[in-house]
Amino acid sequence: MSSQEANPNRPAPPVLDDISKKIIAQLQEDGRRAYATIGKAVGLSEAAVRQRVQRLSDSGVIQIVAVSDPLQVGLFRQAMVAITVDGPLEPVADALAEMAEIDYVVLCAGRFDVLCEAVCRDDEALLDLISNRIRTLPGVRTAETLVYLKLRKQSYQWGAR
């Protein structure tokens, strides 16, 4: 069964040609790079780049966002929460995804069923999130918290291989 058959509401992913991949790489280096500059780098007009970027964005292939440093915006506690679930995983993952403090949710294989990243203002807010909101979700058996001490690398430049 293809991913399209599994979720008929999701549009088929577009086929990315080399030009679109180069545009994505340009935007990952600098999301504010001018379309004219990108056009020169990939051999297209500014208008053609604008149209391609719009199609890539509309289809969900890319998002152009500002990534802030949590510490600089008053969010001093980050943690990965590794969760084991009794029963279906999707309802737990969906509930986590609705929480403002959770910025990343993934279903996985192995020791844990769901991993999520929490970004909170302080330890008290993280404790409240874990104790009163995550651990009380129906189906959550365990939640192991891995508190970040220091971020060494965070990159969004994997391109469109």
Side-chain angles (χ1 to χ4, degrees), residues 7-108:
N7 186 349
N9 296 326
R10 172 183 273 174
V15 176
L16 298 179
D17 62 11
D18 288 340
I19 299 290
S20 291
K21 291 177 182 180
K22 289 176 183 177
I23 290 170
I24 292 168
Q26 290 278 314
L27 289 169
Q28 285 182 332
E29 287 177 18
D30 179 359
R32 298 180 346 149
R33 186 165 287 159
Y35 291 147
T37 303
I38 295 170
K40 286 178 186 172
V42 303
L44 291 178
S45 70
E46 177 181 352
V49 170
R50 181 178 291 108
Q51 289 174 346
R52 281 188 183 239
V53 169
Q54 188 63 52
R55 278 197 313 264
L56 291 166
S57 179
D58 290 347
S59 65
V61 172
I62 64 169
Q63 293 178 349
I64 300 173
V65 299
V67 178
S68 63
D69 177 349
L71 298 175
Q72 298 294 320
V73 296
L75 299 170
F76 297 104
R77 180 53 70 214
Q78 292 177 272
M80 184 66 64
V81 184
I83 300 166
T84 55
V85 175
D86 288 325
L89 306 181
E90 288 85 358
V92 172
D94 291 344
L96 292 165
E98 293 296 320
M99 297 180 187
E101 300 88 347
I102 304 292
D103 65 5
Y104 174 83
V105 178
V106 62
L107 303 178
C108 53

Side-chain angles (χ1 to χ4, degrees), residues 4 46 141:
Q4 182 66 28
E46 177 181 352
R141 182 180 348 137

Side-chain angles (χ1 to χ4, degrees), residues 110-144:
R111 179 175 165 199
F112 299 104
D113 299 311
V114 180
L115 295 176
C116 65
E117 182 179 58
V119 181
C120 299
R121 72 178 178 280
D122 55 25
D123 287 338
E124 186 175 328
L126 178 61
L127 177 62
D128 178 65
L129 176 68
I130 294 164
S131 293
N132 299 319
R133 295 173 54 213
I134 293 175
R135 290 182 185 237
T136 60
L137 287 173
V140 170
R141 182 180 348 137
T142 65
E144 183 173 332

